[in-house]
Amino acid sequence: GLTRFERRFSYAPSNGLRVKDTLEAAKPVEFTVLIHSDDIIQVNPGDRLSTQIDDSKLEVSLESDRPLKTAVEPNWMTGPGRPGSVQKGEREARGHRARVSTQSKTRTAEIGAQLRFP
């Protein structure tokens, strides 16, 4: 039922990378975007996320025209299977992901993320 998916990227050295999704659907749905990390993702006040791997820290500021809810969960993947059946490997958790969703069903939403390495 997705009728529009537009993703825009912008970058400025002082602000980092900004990703903005404009979404529309034929009927009300809960829109979700995923943010992946090799390590645990912290949910901070004010629709902010952060993750740190070794000496590198990433801060993510979320923005939306709708109220959001965020849940952090393992990033489940299917590992490679035997030759000829690569999609039938073992399920394994590799890193984590933040599932950022609209709090209620809607036909339209704009969800953005500002990514910075402080």
Side-chain angles (χ1 to χ4, degrees):
L2 188 65
T3 59
R4 180 178 180 196
F5 174 77
E6 180 179 313
R7 177 167 282 171
R8 293 184 179 245
F9 296 89
S10 60
Y11 176 77
S14 59
N15 292 328
L17 177 67
R18 182 170 187 248
V19 181
K20 181 181 176 187
D21 293 341
T22 302
L23 308 158
E24 293 180 9
K27 62 180 183 177
V29 296
E30 181 180 283
F31 288 106
T32 299
V33 297
L34 301 174
I35 299 171
H36 298 263
S37 175
D38 289 341
D39 210 333
I40 193 72
I41 299 171
Q42 302 292 324
V43 178
N44 305 309
D47 285 330
R48 300 174 77 84
L49 308 172
S50 61
T51 186
Q52 184 154 350
I53 300 171
D54 298 325
D55 293 334
S56 296
K57 181 175 184 177
L58 173 66
E59 292 180 349
V60 180
S61 299
L62 301 169
E63 52 191 49
S64 179
D65 63 341
R66 307 276 181 220
L68 299 173
K69 59 184 176 182
T70 302
V72 175
E73 58 195 25
N75 189 44
W76 289 98
M77 302 181 70
T78 301
R82 298 173 52 89
S85 61
V86 295
Q87 75 280 12
K88 296 180 182 176
E90 299 277 330
R91 275 186 50 86
E92 55 190 72
R94 293 189 189 170
H96 294 82
R97 67 183 182 191
R99 177 182 294 275
V100 179
S101 304
T102 54
Q103 284 187 7
S104 59
K105 292 182 178 182
T106 181
R107 289 191 60 240
T108 64
E110 289 187 354
I111 303 174
Q114 187 83 33
L115 293 84
R116 292 187 201 101
F117 292 95

